[in-house]
Amino acid sequence: MKCAHCTENQQPSPPTKSRGGHLLSAILLWLLAAPGWSQAPADTAPVDPATAASTDAASADLTAAPPTPEEPPIYTSRSERDMKLLEKSLGEQDSVIWLEGLGGPFLALYEEDIGTDPEGAVLILHAEGQHTNWPTTIERIRSTLPYHGWITLATSLPNPAETEKPKRTLPANPVPTTQPPLTDATGSSNAAQNTPAPGESTADQTPAEQTQADPATTEPRAEAGEENEIFDDTTGALSDGNLQTESASSNEEPVPPQLNPEDIAHSRIEAAIRHLNDQGIFNIVLLGDGVGAARAGHYLGSLPEPKPKKRGEKPIKPIRAMIIINARNTSPRGDINLLSSLYDSELPTLDIYFGTHQQDNRDSIERKKYALRNGFKTYQQILLPELSHNTMLGENRLSKRVRGFLSKYAKGVKVENAIVNRRQ
């Protein structure tokens, strides 16, 4: 038996590298590092920072692209955009015409009568927030009446002016100059906790805690007089209430005055009627939807009272009848009133409303009372159910009611070789 400490039974140790192997490894490392030595520059001169900055700025100016000029807006106003897009959506149709009114040209849709015997024209004024081809109402009326001898002309009208916001009568609350210290759940102040005791070092505190601990170094939150600042909603600036606001620079271009939407609407109605008269059409019926009804009544109220040419003859009126749909008795700002404009008790009037809004019922009651009180001879008020949104059915309840009223109370005749005396 051999001893466990004998070396005869131990495994032979691996052979160690010779000195030649170490020398070969050193040579290989030197060869690999040699190319890197040859690429390093021999001498590197220091670069002046000012020279480097000017060089970079010059190169940036050379490589910078020239500024592109600002493109003018495609449309000058939202109203023009809506009319242009509506014209584009209708495509190349003969019904699209442009008339001239106050504030520039406006879009109108003119449909010739398809029947052999023309009976007159219907001037359509759409409601607020709508356009001249609004489905289920304006579009159904203007596209179906030409099959029964009526010419239709739907004009674009601006949206009525919104109600002005009331001006501020009291000054705004002053901005507090100091902020009360924050307290924790126990009611103790954080400033008291962060304030060091006399003789205690503040080296372990953060800069914010050191500033809060020393009231003498705390910067004031507001300068003197800032607590009295008020906001001027007319100029959009802050003032102390005592100093006069700076006047606008004389170099600035004056802002043109805004046109009243009701003046624009009145001018467009006149331009539309003038276009119909130029076509030889004088039997005209006004049809207004929503605020368009109040605008139609406002136009009627502005017309001079017609006088008969001979004693005993009835005067020739420029407007033969009036149709109002879901009428609003006043505009949002109250500058026009439908009831005060309906002075002619002999004018045939058709009043249709759907009752889908609470305001429809209130306004319809006021109109009926006004008509009965003033003795209107031909006044019909009809409540219709809500219309279907399917526009592929041709006529609907609304267009049929309108057509029946026109055939009974506003039917005109064609006069051959008539002499027209135009009003100056």
Side-chain angles (χ1 to χ4, degrees):
M1 179 179 293
K2 294 184 180 181
C3 178
H5 298 281
C6 296
T7 60
E8 295 179 2
N9 296 331
Q10 294 180 356
Q11 296 293 334
S13 59
T16 59
K17 294 182 179 180
S18 62
R19 296 181 61 183
H22 290 289
L23 182 59
L24 180 60
S25 300
I27 295 173
L28 290 175
L29 291 174
W30 181 81
L31 292 175
L32 291 174
W37 295 345
S38 61
Q39 292 179 1
D43 295 329
T44 56
V47 179
D48 187 8
T51 305
S54 61
T55 304
D56 296 340
S59 60
D61 294 339
L62 293 176
T63 57
T68 57
E70 295 183 0
E71 297 182 358
I74 303 177
Y75 308 108
T76 58
S77 63
R78 182 174 181 177
S79 177
E80 181 185 357
R81 182 203 66 177
D82 295 342
M83 291 187 291
K84 291 287 187 180
L85 293 179
L86 178 59
E87 180 187 21
K88 185 178 180 181
S89 65
L90 294 175
E92 296 181 359
Q93 297 185 10
D94 297 336
S95 59
V96 178
I97 61 175
W98 288 87
L99 303 177
E100 189 69 30
L102 182 63
F106 63 95
L107 177 71
L109 301 181
Y110 180 80
E111 292 288 348
E112 288 277 0
D113 63 292
I114 301 177
T116 55
D117 297 327
E119 298 183 357
V122 180
L123 178 58
I124 303 174
L125 311 177
H126 61 80
E128 63 278 11
Q130 298 183 5
H131 52 73
T132 54
N133 200 40
W134 196 259
T136 71
T137 53
I138 304 300
E139 191 271 337
R140 287 294 88 195
I141 294 174
R142 77 167 195 85
S143 61
T144 57
L145 286 181
Y147 288 92
H148 303 277
W150 288 92
I151 298 170
T152 60
L153 177 61
T155 62
S156 300
L157 299 178
N159 286 327
E162 299 180 355
T163 306
E164 294 182 356
K165 297 181 180 179
K167 296 183 178 180
R168 186 191 299 273
T169 57
L170 297 176
N173 295 331
V175 180
T177 56
T178 59
Q179 184 177 6
L182 300 177
T183 58
D184 54 9
T186 60
S188 61
S189 174
N190 294 337
Q193 295 177 4
N194 296 332
T195 303
E200 184 179 352
S201 175
T202 60
D204 297 336
Q205 294 183 352
T206 62
E209 293 176 349
Q210 294 178 9
T211 305
Q212 187 177 5
D214 189 1
T217 60
T218 304
E219 296 182 0
R221 290 183 174 271
E223 297 180 357
E226 197 172 84
E227 64 275 4
N228 298 325
E229 287 184 346
I230 59 175
F231 178 76
D232 190 354
D233 54 358
T234 59
T235 60
L238 289 174
S239 64
D240 58 358
N242 298 323
L243 300 177
Q244 297 291 337
T245 57
E246 296 182 359
S247 58
S249 176
S250 58
N251 297 329
E252 296 180 358
E253 297 181 358
V255 180
Q258 295 291 335
L259 297 176
N260 188 0
E262 302 310 323
D263 294 340
I264 298 176
H266 189 87
S267 172
R268 292 182 178 182
I269 295 174
E270 289 182 338
I273 292 180
R274 193 182 308 114
H275 176 76
L276 293 175
N277 293 340
D278 293 340
Q279 306 300 320
I281 305 168
F282 295 91
N283 185 41
I284 301 174
V285 178
L286 283 181
L287 187 149
D289 185 7
V291 173
R295 288 170 168 173
H298 179 68
Y299 174 77
L300 282 175
S302 66
L303 295 177
E305 186 176 357
K307 297 180 180 180
K309 294 183 178 180
K310 297 180 180 180
R311 182 177 298 179
E313 292 183 354
K314 291 184 178 181
I316 300 176
K317 300 179 180 180
I319 302 300
R320 183 71 179 277
M322 183 173 179
I323 302 174
I324 53 180
I325 303 171
N326 271 347
R328 290 291 178 263
N329 294 343
T330 60
S331 61
R333 298 181 61 176
D335 44 358
I336 57 175
N337 189 288
L338 174 61
L339 299 181
S340 62
S341 303
L342 299 178
Y343 64 91
D344 189 0
S345 60
E346 296 183 357
L347 184 70
T349 305
L350 175 62
D351 186 354
I352 300 177
Y353 70 101
F354 302 112
T356 56
H357 194 275
Q358 188 177 6
Q359 189 68 25
D360 299 339
N361 300 323
R362 289 199 298 262
D363 289 353
S364 63
I365 294 174
E366 294 181 4
R367 292 193 300 271
K368 190 171 184 178
K369 289 181 179 179
Y370 180 85
L372 294 175
R373 190 181 301 114
N374 291 273
F376 273 58
K377 295 182 179 180
T378 305
Y379 177 82
Q380 297 182 4
Q381 189 176 82
I382 302 174
L383 172 62
L384 290 181
E386 187 176 2
L387 299 176
S388 172
H389 294 280
N390 187 358
T391 60
M392 303 299 293
L393 301 178
E395 284 190 310
N396 54 14
R397 295 190 186 95
L398 177 62
S399 61
K400 290 179 180 179
R401 287 284 186 176
V402 171
R403 177 169 60 86
F405 178 83
L406 293 174
S407 300
K408 187 175 182 180
Y409 296 103
K411 189 175 182 179
V413 293
K414 185 177 181 180
V415 179
E416 299 290 347
N417 301 324
I419 299 176
V420 179
N421 295 323
R422 299 186 180 276
R423 293 177 299 173
Q424 299 297 331

